[in-house]
Each structure stands twice: as structure tokens, then as C-alpha cells.
Amino acid sequence: MVIIVQARMASTRLPGKVMLPVLGKTILAMMIERLQMIQHKATVVIATSVNPEDDIIEQEAHSLNIPCYRGDQNNLLDRHYQAALQHNADVVLKIPSDCPLIDPQAIDRVLTYFFDQTVTPDYVSNLHPATWPDGNDVEIMTMACLKQAWENAEKNLELEHTTPYIWENPQLFNIGNVTWETGLDYSMSHRFTIDYQEDYLFIKRVFEELYPINKNFSCDDILDLLERKPEIYQINAGYAGVNWYRNHLNELKTIQPEQTKQAPVSQ
């Protein structure tokens, strides 16, 4: 089983975001540390581009003793497939590098669901529909499923975002979804992902508050912190619900307008 973390320096809204500092480490290093806390056994691979500006990503991977695959900047589907192929993966997890606060327990819950099914699903996520706070994105697929997408996907959004071909074609795949066990839906109200400067300030503050006390802090610990210190929640609250879907509503059959929001006008 391989966890593939897509990472690159080029970002129109927050360039170099994965290498921003938090408590003397990088955002990417903090995220890798959280991925290594899961109970299931998996190999973590960083998948970046061949572009020269991403040399620093490869250097960071080496410093973390994590394998690094380099491929096409824009074809993330090919990058994931080739990285999985290189590491002889039978099961592939896609977890983007903009989720540094991802809860290891959320990953384990989705994995447990995947492995507990009588018939192995092709694809399982906690995103369709999403219920966890944004930034706890877990997508699991068999290698055969990823290969089928790689062979057949043609649209730019399918290549750029890796998995839309799968979840947009439920008639072709055995698809499962895991909802947050609380019964709540914070996917549009709580933002733990990084895409804007305010996100970085929020994530940095959460790590500064929780990491020194318990490195393996959970989603519940973050929510408790936000209850105690609502000013932290407000740092990036204006971007809650903003995700990439907003740019592709006319192309996505399974995504509804209420599942995304436009960024504030100032951006």
C-alpha cells in the first residue's frame, strides 16, 4: 500500500506553501509526520514535478527519508499512476500536500472500511459527500482502478485532479464513502487546508498550540481548540467552503453548487 502525496512549489495563490515554516519544520514535513502516525502499514511517496523549482521538494523528501517521484506538472493522474507503478502498489492512497492537519485517525477509518468490505471496492473516499472539516481528504483506490482511470481519462480536470474520472463514472466502479462518525458535516464550515496566506496563519497557530503538547493531536483536539479560542477559527473563516470545484461546476456531474463557494472578492 502506497500513500502518494502530491506537492509542488508552483501555486498561484500561495507559492511554495508546502515549504513554509512551522515550529522549525516545513508544512510538508509536518504532514508527512502525521501520515506516518496511521495504524495501517503504508509506504509514503512524495510525487512532485520535473520542473527545476521543485528540486527543493525532492531535497526535502530526501531529508525526510521519503521516496520522491518526479513527473508531469499538470498531469497528476499520470504522476500518481507512475509513482504507484514504481513502488509496486496494490492499493493507492491519494492525499494532497495541502492537508497538513489531516487526522491520522480519519485515514485509518477510511482504510478500515476499505479493507472490511466483503468485495474489495475500487475506490473509497471521505469526500463524496464530504463531512469532515476540509483538509481531511482521503481517497483510496486499487491499482487496477487507478490504471483504468489512467488509460481512459481525457478531460483536463480528470488529469489535473487524478480521481474525477473515477467518482464521476459510478457505473464503471464499485465506489464507497465514509462519513464522519460524529454525524456532523463541517466540510463547508471548517477549513484545515492551505491555499491562502490566511490558511497558513491558521495552520501555523494550530500547530503552535497543539503540537508541543501532543504531536498526534486529532481533529477533535483542533475543534476543541477553536471552541476555546474562537479567534483562531476566524483567521481563515472567510475561505471556508472554497475549493477547486467552484471552477468546474459546469463539467462535474456529481458536484452540486452548494458543495463549493467562491473566494472572497479581495482575492
Side-chain angles (χ1 to χ4, degrees):
M1 185 165 65
V2 173
I3 299 175
I4 298 177
V5 179
Q6 63 201 51
R8 61 176 185 151
M9 293 299 288
S11 170
T12 54
R13 288 169 292 274
L14 190 58
K17 60 187 179 183
V18 298
M19 294 298 291
L20 291 172
V22 174
L23 294 175
K25 301 181 182 181
T26 65
I27 288 274
L28 184 57
M30 285 296 205
M31 178 173 168
I32 296 299
E33 186 174 325
R34 291 181 72 73
L35 296 180
Q36 292 173 328
M37 293 173 181
I38 69 171
Q39 298 301 307
H40 291 79
K41 187 177 180 181
T43 299
V44 179
V45 178
I46 293 173
T48 193
S49 86
V50 294
N51 294 9
E53 67 262 26
D54 287 327
D55 290 351
I56 192 171
I57 301 286
E58 184 174 19
Q59 293 164 12
E60 178 74 349
H62 289 164
S63 72
L64 298 171
N65 199 28
I66 297 292
C68 182
Y69 172 82
R70 303 188 70 167
D72 189 276
Q73 177 180 348
N74 298 314
N75 190 339
L76 273 292
L77 175 52
D78 182 67
R79 209 194 297 176
H80 278 82
Y81 176 70
Q82 300 297 344
L85 206 60
Q86 189 176 81
H87 290 273
N88 301 309
D90 55 348
V91 175
V92 180
L93 277 75
K94 173 186 179 288
I95 299 184
S97 60
D98 55 8
C99 296
L101 292 174
I102 192 166
D103 190 339
Q105 295 177 46
I107 302 172
D108 278 318
R109 287 191 188 101
V110 183
L111 277 167
T112 297
Y113 174 91
F114 178 87
F115 287 116
D116 279 355
Q117 300 309 299
T118 305
V119 177
T120 301
D122 297 311
Y123 171 91
V124 171
S125 78
N126 61 354
L127 296 172
H128 303 288
T131 48
W132 264 278
D134 189 9
N136 287 281
D137 305 9
V138 184
E139 297 181 86
I140 306 169
M141 65 214 83
T142 63
M143 188 62 186
C145 174
L146 179 58
K147 182 180 181 183
Q148 188 173 341
W150 178 76
E151 289 175 339
N152 294 285
E154 296 178 347
K155 298 177 184 177
N156 285 337
L157 77 90
E158 294 170 341
L159 304 180
E160 181 184 354
H161 296 285
T162 307
T163 54
Y165 178 84
I166 301 168
W167 44 263
E168 284 278 285
N169 289 287
Q171 75 281 5
L172 300 178
F173 301 99
N174 176 11
I175 293 176
N177 188 70
V178 179
T179 54
W180 196 17
E181 70 279 0
T182 60
L184 299 169
D185 182 353
Y186 279 6
S187 61
M188 294 291 291
S189 61
H190 289 66
R191 182 179 172 87
F192 298 172
T193 186
I194 181 167
D195 208 19
Y196 298 94
Q197 177 68 15
E198 289 86 346
D199 296 330
Y200 168 58
L201 297 175
F202 171 85
I203 288 165
K204 183 172 178 286
R205 182 72 184 277
V206 170
F207 271 114
E208 288 170 350
E209 293 275 350
L210 298 178
Y211 186 87
I213 302 165
N214 174 20
K215 293 182 179 180
N216 192 7
F217 60 86
S218 67
C219 182
D220 287 342
D221 293 328
I222 300 174
L223 294 172
D224 178 64
L225 171 66
L226 302 185
E227 282 286 324
R228 290 185 285 111
K229 299 186 177 182
E231 70 274 12
I232 300 177
Y233 171 82
Q234 291 299 329
I235 294 173
N236 69 342
Y239 294 92
V242 177
N243 56 48
W244 68 270
Y245 297 157
R246 71 190 186 280
N247 300 316
H248 300 281
L249 285 174
N250 61 330
E251 299 174 84
L252 294 167
K253 302 189 299 283
T254 60
I255 301 299
Q256 303 304 313
E258 59 268 20
Q259 292 174 270
T260 189
K261 192 178 79 173
Q262 293 297 323
V265 177
S266 60
Q267 294 294 325

